[in-house]
Amino acid sequence: MMRSPFAKPDAAALVAAWRAAHTGRDLDDWHTAAVDDVAHAITHRRDASESARLLGRHRAGAGIGMREGVEDLETPYRLHFRTAPPHAVSRAFAEGWADAEVETLLGRASVDSLTGLATYDYVCARLSEIYAESPDIERCFVIVDAPNRLTNGPARLARSLGLSNLLRSVFSTGETTAILPHGLFVALVARGDSLGDSLQRLSRGVGAFETAADTSGRVRVWVEPLPGTQKLAEELLLELDAA
Protein backbone atom coordinates (compact mmCIF):
# COMPACT_ATOMS: atom_id res chain seq x y z
CA MET A 1 0.00 0.00 0.00
CA MET A 2 1.40 3.35 -1.03
CA ARG A 3 1.87 5.71 1.90
CA SER A 4 2.01 9.48 1.71
CA PRO A 5 5.47 10.82 2.57
CA PHE A 6 3.74 13.52 4.61
CA ALA A 7 1.99 11.15 7.04
CA LYS A 8 2.82 11.87 10.71
CA PRO A 9 1.95 9.93 13.86
CA ASP A 10 -1.02 12.18 14.67
CA ALA A 11 -2.24 11.91 11.08
CA ALA A 12 -1.83 8.14 11.22
CA ALA A 13 -3.95 8.02 14.37
CA LEU A 14 -6.64 10.04 12.62
CA VAL A 15 -6.55 7.69 9.62
CA ALA A 16 -6.99 4.72 11.96
CA ALA A 17 -9.96 6.34 13.69
CA TRP A 18 -11.42 7.38 10.33
CA ARG A 19 -11.16 3.83 9.02
CA ALA A 20 -12.74 2.43 12.18
CA ALA A 21 -15.69 4.78 11.76
CA HIS A 22 -16.03 4.07 8.03
CA THR A 23 -19.45 2.58 7.28
CA GLY A 24 -19.06 2.06 3.51
CA ARG A 25 -18.93 -1.25 1.72
CA ASP A 26 -15.42 -1.15 0.22
CA LEU A 27 -12.95 -1.26 3.11
CA ASP A 28 -10.43 -3.25 1.06
CA ASP A 29 -10.12 -0.36 -1.38
CA TRP A 30 -10.79 2.41 1.13
CA HIS A 31 -7.20 3.40 2.00
CA THR A 32 -5.31 5.46 -0.56
CA ALA A 33 -2.50 7.99 -0.43
CA ALA A 34 -5.10 10.76 -0.65
CA VAL A 35 -6.57 9.55 2.67
CA ASP A 36 -3.18 10.08 4.33
CA ASP A 37 -2.85 13.52 2.76
CA VAL A 38 -6.33 14.62 3.87
CA ALA A 39 -5.56 13.47 7.41
CA HIS A 40 -2.21 15.29 7.34
CA ALA A 41 -3.86 18.51 6.19
CA ILE A 42 -6.47 18.24 8.94
CA THR A 43 -4.05 17.54 11.77
CA HIS A 44 -1.72 20.31 10.56
CA ARG A 45 -4.63 22.72 10.02
CA ARG A 46 -3.96 23.15 6.31
CA ASP A 47 -6.26 23.37 3.32
CA ALA A 48 -7.20 19.84 2.23
CA SER A 49 -8.92 20.84 -1.03
CA GLU A 50 -6.43 19.33 -3.48
CA SER A 51 -6.12 16.13 -1.46
CA ALA A 52 -9.90 15.93 -1.30
CA ARG A 53 -10.09 16.36 -5.09
CA LEU A 54 -7.76 13.39 -5.56
CA LEU A 55 -9.74 11.40 -3.02
CA GLY A 56 -12.94 12.15 -4.95
CA ARG A 57 -11.40 10.78 -8.13
CA HIS A 58 -10.32 7.63 -6.33
CA ARG A 59 -13.75 7.09 -4.77
CA ALA A 60 -15.46 7.46 -8.15
CA GLY A 61 -13.04 4.98 -9.69
CA ALA A 62 -13.85 2.53 -6.90
CA GLY A 63 -17.57 2.77 -7.69
CA ILE A 64 -18.46 4.71 -4.54
CA GLY A 65 -21.30 7.21 -4.95
CA MET A 66 -20.71 10.91 -4.46
CA ARG A 67 -23.01 11.26 -1.46
CA GLU A 68 -21.45 8.26 0.28
CA GLY A 69 -17.99 9.64 -0.45
CA VAL A 70 -18.82 13.12 0.88
CA GLU A 71 -20.30 11.61 4.05
CA ASP A 72 -17.11 9.59 4.55
CA LEU A 73 -15.00 12.72 4.04
CA GLU A 74 -16.94 14.39 6.85
CA THR A 75 -15.76 11.73 9.32
CA PRO A 76 -12.18 12.92 9.97
CA TYR A 77 -13.35 16.53 10.33
CA ARG A 78 -15.96 15.53 12.88
CA LEU A 79 -13.44 13.37 14.70
CA HIS A 80 -10.78 16.08 14.82
CA PHE A 81 -12.71 19.37 14.80
CA ARG A 82 -16.24 18.18 15.71
CA THR A 83 -17.54 20.03 12.67
CA ALA A 84 -18.19 19.46 8.98
CA PRO A 85 -15.47 20.06 6.36
CA PRO A 86 -15.13 23.56 4.88
CA HIS A 87 -17.33 24.06 1.83
CA ALA A 88 -14.24 24.39 -0.41
CA VAL A 89 -13.03 20.94 0.64
CA SER A 90 -16.40 19.26 0.05
CA ARG A 91 -16.72 20.99 -3.29
CA ALA A 92 -13.22 19.91 -4.36
CA PHE A 93 -14.08 16.31 -3.49
CA ALA A 94 -17.31 16.55 -5.53
CA GLU A 95 -15.48 18.07 -8.50
CA GLY A 96 -12.84 15.35 -8.45
CA TRP A 97 -15.53 12.68 -8.25
CA ALA A 98 -17.51 14.25 -11.11
CA ASP A 99 -14.43 14.64 -13.31
CA ALA A 100 -13.64 10.95 -12.92
CA GLU A 101 -17.25 10.00 -13.66
CA VAL A 102 -17.30 12.08 -16.83
CA GLU A 103 -14.07 10.45 -17.99
CA THR A 104 -15.65 7.05 -17.36
CA LEU A 105 -18.79 8.03 -19.23
CA LEU A 106 -16.76 9.15 -22.22
CA GLY A 107 -15.54 5.58 -22.42
CA ARG A 108 -19.16 4.38 -22.44
CA ALA A 109 -22.16 5.53 -24.45
CA SER A 110 -23.05 8.90 -22.97
CA VAL A 111 -24.74 10.08 -26.20
CA ASP A 112 -27.41 8.19 -28.13
CA SER A 113 -26.00 7.60 -31.61
CA LEU A 114 -29.36 8.04 -33.38
CA THR A 115 -30.81 11.14 -31.74
CA GLY A 116 -27.73 12.84 -30.29
CA LEU A 117 -29.47 13.11 -26.91
CA ALA A 118 -27.84 12.02 -23.67
CA THR A 119 -28.28 8.46 -22.42
CA TYR A 120 -29.61 7.13 -19.12
CA ASP A 121 -26.03 6.69 -17.84
CA TYR A 122 -25.30 10.37 -18.44
CA VAL A 123 -28.51 11.44 -16.69
CA CYS A 124 -27.46 9.35 -13.67
CA ALA A 125 -24.10 11.13 -13.59
CA ARG A 126 -25.86 14.52 -13.64
CA LEU A 127 -28.17 13.38 -10.86
CA SER A 128 -25.14 12.47 -8.73
CA GLU A 129 -23.82 16.02 -9.09
CA ILE A 130 -27.21 17.60 -8.44
CA TYR A 131 -28.04 15.64 -5.30
CA ALA A 132 -24.56 16.19 -3.87
CA GLU A 133 -24.03 19.85 -4.74
CA SER A 134 -27.32 21.66 -5.34
CA PRO A 135 -29.98 20.47 -2.89
CA ASP A 136 -31.51 23.95 -2.64
CA ILE A 137 -32.30 24.26 -6.36
CA GLU A 138 -35.68 22.71 -7.11
CA ARG A 139 -35.54 20.56 -10.22
CA CYS A 140 -37.86 18.25 -12.08
CA PHE A 141 -38.09 15.84 -15.00
CA VAL A 142 -40.07 16.91 -18.05
CA ILE A 143 -41.29 13.68 -19.64
CA VAL A 144 -42.27 13.20 -23.29
CA ASP A 145 -43.85 9.83 -24.02
CA ALA A 146 -44.41 8.91 -27.67
CA PRO A 147 -46.12 5.47 -27.81
CA ASN A 148 -43.93 3.24 -29.96
CA ARG A 149 -46.67 1.53 -31.99
CA LEU A 150 -46.18 3.06 -35.42
CA THR A 151 -46.05 0.22 -37.95
CA ASN A 152 -44.07 2.29 -40.44
CA GLY A 153 -40.37 2.08 -39.57
CA PRO A 154 -39.38 5.30 -41.34
CA ALA A 155 -42.26 7.07 -39.61
CA ARG A 156 -41.01 5.92 -36.20
CA LEU A 157 -37.52 7.14 -37.04
CA ALA A 158 -38.79 10.50 -38.28
CA ARG A 159 -40.84 11.00 -35.12
CA SER A 160 -37.91 10.13 -32.84
CA LEU A 161 -35.61 12.54 -34.64
CA GLY A 162 -38.29 15.25 -34.68
CA LEU A 163 -39.01 14.94 -30.97
CA SER A 164 -35.29 14.95 -30.20
CA ASN A 165 -34.82 18.20 -32.11
CA LEU A 166 -37.90 19.69 -30.44
CA LEU A 167 -36.65 18.80 -26.95
CA ARG A 168 -33.25 20.34 -27.67
CA SER A 169 -34.78 23.52 -29.10
CA VAL A 170 -37.08 24.06 -26.11
CA PHE A 171 -34.41 23.27 -23.49
CA SER A 172 -31.37 24.90 -25.05
CA THR A 173 -29.71 26.71 -22.13
CA GLY A 174 -27.71 23.92 -20.51
CA GLU A 175 -30.49 21.56 -19.44
CA THR A 176 -29.89 17.82 -19.79
CA THR A 177 -32.06 16.28 -22.52
CA ALA A 178 -32.01 12.52 -22.93
CA ILE A 179 -33.63 9.45 -24.42
CA LEU A 180 -33.98 6.37 -22.21
CA PRO A 181 -33.43 2.74 -23.30
CA HIS A 182 -37.08 2.09 -24.27
CA GLY A 183 -37.56 5.41 -26.03
CA LEU A 184 -38.91 7.73 -23.34
CA PHE A 185 -37.71 11.33 -23.74
CA VAL A 186 -36.72 13.31 -20.64
CA ALA A 187 -35.33 16.73 -19.78
CA LEU A 188 -33.74 17.43 -16.39
CA VAL A 189 -34.53 21.07 -15.69
CA ALA A 190 -34.77 23.62 -12.89
CA ARG A 191 -38.22 24.75 -11.82
CA GLY A 192 -38.65 28.45 -12.40
CA ASP A 193 -40.74 31.16 -13.99
CA SER A 194 -39.74 30.06 -17.50
CA LEU A 195 -40.79 26.42 -17.07
CA GLY A 196 -44.44 27.12 -17.88
CA ASP A 197 -43.51 28.80 -21.16
CA SER A 198 -41.20 25.93 -22.06
CA LEU A 199 -43.96 23.39 -21.42
CA GLN A 200 -46.36 25.34 -23.62
CA ARG A 201 -43.82 25.42 -26.45
CA LEU A 202 -43.17 21.71 -26.01
CA SER A 203 -46.89 20.85 -26.00
CA ARG A 204 -47.48 22.90 -29.15
CA GLY A 205 -44.54 21.23 -30.83
CA VAL A 206 -45.65 17.67 -30.17
CA GLY A 207 -48.94 18.44 -31.92
CA ALA A 208 -47.05 18.20 -35.21
CA PHE A 209 -46.51 14.50 -34.53
CA GLU A 210 -50.20 13.71 -33.95
CA THR A 211 -51.53 13.45 -37.49
CA ALA A 212 -54.59 11.66 -38.74
CA ALA A 213 -52.38 8.91 -40.13
CA ASP A 214 -50.73 8.35 -36.75
CA THR A 215 -52.90 5.92 -34.81
CA SER A 216 -50.25 5.05 -32.27
CA GLY A 217 -51.68 7.30 -29.56
CA ARG A 218 -51.10 10.82 -28.38
CA VAL A 219 -47.65 12.09 -27.47
CA ARG A 220 -47.91 12.96 -23.79
CA VAL A 221 -45.99 15.66 -21.93
CA TRP A 222 -45.91 15.96 -18.15
CA VAL A 223 -43.70 16.96 -15.22
CA GLU A 224 -42.33 14.66 -12.51
CA PRO A 225 -40.77 16.24 -9.40
CA LEU A 226 -37.39 14.86 -8.40
CA PRO A 227 -37.68 12.35 -5.53
CA GLY A 228 -35.76 12.79 -2.30
CA THR A 229 -32.75 10.66 -3.28
CA GLN A 230 -30.70 9.95 -6.38
CA LYS A 231 -31.54 6.24 -6.20
CA LEU A 232 -35.27 6.96 -6.23
CA ALA A 233 -34.82 9.38 -9.15
CA GLU A 234 -32.99 6.75 -11.18
CA GLU A 235 -35.61 4.12 -10.35
CA LEU A 236 -38.42 6.51 -11.31
CA LEU A 237 -36.93 7.01 -14.78
CA LEU A 238 -36.58 3.27 -15.34
CA GLU A 239 -40.16 2.64 -14.20
CA LEU A 240 -41.56 5.35 -16.48
CA ASP A 241 -39.47 4.11 -19.40
CA ALA A 242 -40.68 0.52 -18.96
CA ALA A 243 -44.36 1.43 -18.56
Side-chain angles (χ1 to χ4, degrees):
M1 182 184 305
M2 184 172 65
R3 300 285 297 181
S4 166
F6 304 107
K8 302 292 184 183
D10 53 349
L14 180 58
V15 168
W18 183 1
R19 181 184 176 92
H22 179 66
T23 57
R25 65 186 184 280
D26 296 315
L27 276 173
D28 290 342
D29 198 33
W30 177 83
H31 193 204
T32 176
V35 166
D36 291 333
D37 290 343
V38 168
H40 176 268
I42 290 172
T43 54
H44 290 73
R45 297 181 177 273
R46 296 174 182 167
D47 180 19
S49 295
E50 286 308 308
S51 298
R53 189 184 307 276
L54 293 174
L55 184 60
R57 294 184 66 88
H58 178 272
R59 295 298 189 238
I64 296 172
M66 184 187 290
R67 183 173 295 276
E68 180 183 346
V70 170
E71 289 175 351
D72 180 54
L73 178 64
E74 292 176 353
T75 299
Y77 279 88
R78 297 195 183 281
L79 287 170
H80 194 78
F81 295 119
R82 302 187 183 277
T83 187
H87 176 72
V89 172
S90 297
R91 183 174 182 83
F93 177 96
E95 289 174 349
W97 187 98
D99 287 345
E101 279 293 291
V102 169
E103 290 170 7
T104 300
L105 279 172
L106 289 176
R108 302 202 301 262
S110 59
V111 176
D112 178 68
S113 59
L114 176 63
T115 63
L117 296 178
T119 62
Y120 173 74
D121 283 338
Y122 184 84
V123 175
C124 291
R126 283 290 296 122
L127 288 171
S128 293
E129 297 173 1
I130 287 167
Y131 277 93
E133 291 189 323
S134 309
D136 297 331
I137 300 177
E138 188 177 3
R139 287 182 169 84
C140 63
F141 294 124
V142 175
I143 307 295
V144 180
D145 182 20
N148 193 24
R149 295 193 295 274
L150 284 173
T151 56
N152 186 324
R156 285 200 304 271
L157 175 59
R159 187 174 65 179
S160 290
L161 293 176
L163 287 173
S164 300
N165 291 333
L166 174 63
L167 201 62
R168 272 193 296 264
S169 68
V170 172
F171 300 108
S172 59
T173 56
E175 299 91 345
T176 298
T177 54
I179 184 168
L180 302 189
H182 295 290
L184 192 74
F185 295 90
V186 59
L188 176 56
V189 304
R191 284 187 179 272
D193 295 338
S194 63
L195 180 58
D197 291 340
S198 297
L199 291 174
Q200 289 181 9
R201 290 176 56 204
L202 191 59
S203 297
R204 287 195 300 267
V206 300
F209 303 96
E210 296 171 353
T211 65
D214 182 355
T215 59
S216 66
R218 292 180 61 84
V219 179
R220 297 186 298 138
V221 177
W222 75 95
V223 173
E224 292 279 352
L226 255 63
T229 67
Q230 177 190 343
K231 184 174 186 294
L232 290 175
E234 293 172 357
E235 291 174 349
L236 172 63
L237 289 181
L238 291 178
E239 289 171 4
L240 293 173
D241 188 42

